[in-house]
Amino acid sequence: METVCSECGGPALEPASCRETVEMKARILRVCPCELLVCDLCACQEVLVHTDQACCFRVGQCVCITYNGAMTMSLPPQISADCVTLLNGCCC
């Protein structure tokens, strides 16, 4: 029996593969050129975020990351951000 995605009804090959965008709220742990190491506030795990916007942020800030849902199975998991925005107010 084939597994079906609850989002689109198509075959479930990868988590979030049928979604257009996914949002992650996270706290920045480290800033490097073209990447951020963040703590995903929902999953409580570190994620490496590839983004050209990395230099716009600093450690401790909370951000909302929009990406296509694809995440590597490496340690830490990695994503490529479509957009990273600073969250106003305290999300942490």
Side-chain angles (χ1 to χ4, degrees):
M1 177 179 226
E2 186 174 308
T3 306
V4 177
C5 176
S6 62
E7 295 281 332
C8 68
L13 302 176
E14 296 179 27
S17 64
C18 60
R19 296 183 194 155
E20 205 155 301
T21 59
V22 175
E23 286 188 351
M24 174 191 299
K25 289 187 170 100
R27 181 191 311 230
I28 299 174
L29 302 175
R30 187 179 72 210
V31 178
C32 296
C34 297
E35 65 185 34
L36 301 169
L37 181 66
V38 303
C39 178
D40 179 344
L41 296 176
C42 185
C44 295
Q45 72 172 358
E46 291 184 358
V47 177
L48 188 63
V49 181
H50 299 284
T51 176
D52 292 336
Q53 302 172 320
C55 63
C56 300
F57 301 98
R58 64 179 189 268
V59 172
Q61 290 181 313
C62 289
V63 292
C64 181
I65 303 160
T66 305
Y67 66 105
N68 67 1
M71 184 179 290
T72 68
M73 294 180 68
S74 61
L75 291 176
Q78 299 179 43
I79 61 172
S80 292
D82 295 324
C83 182
V84 181
T85 55
L86 186 61
L87 288 174
N88 292 329
C90 184
C91 68
C92 308

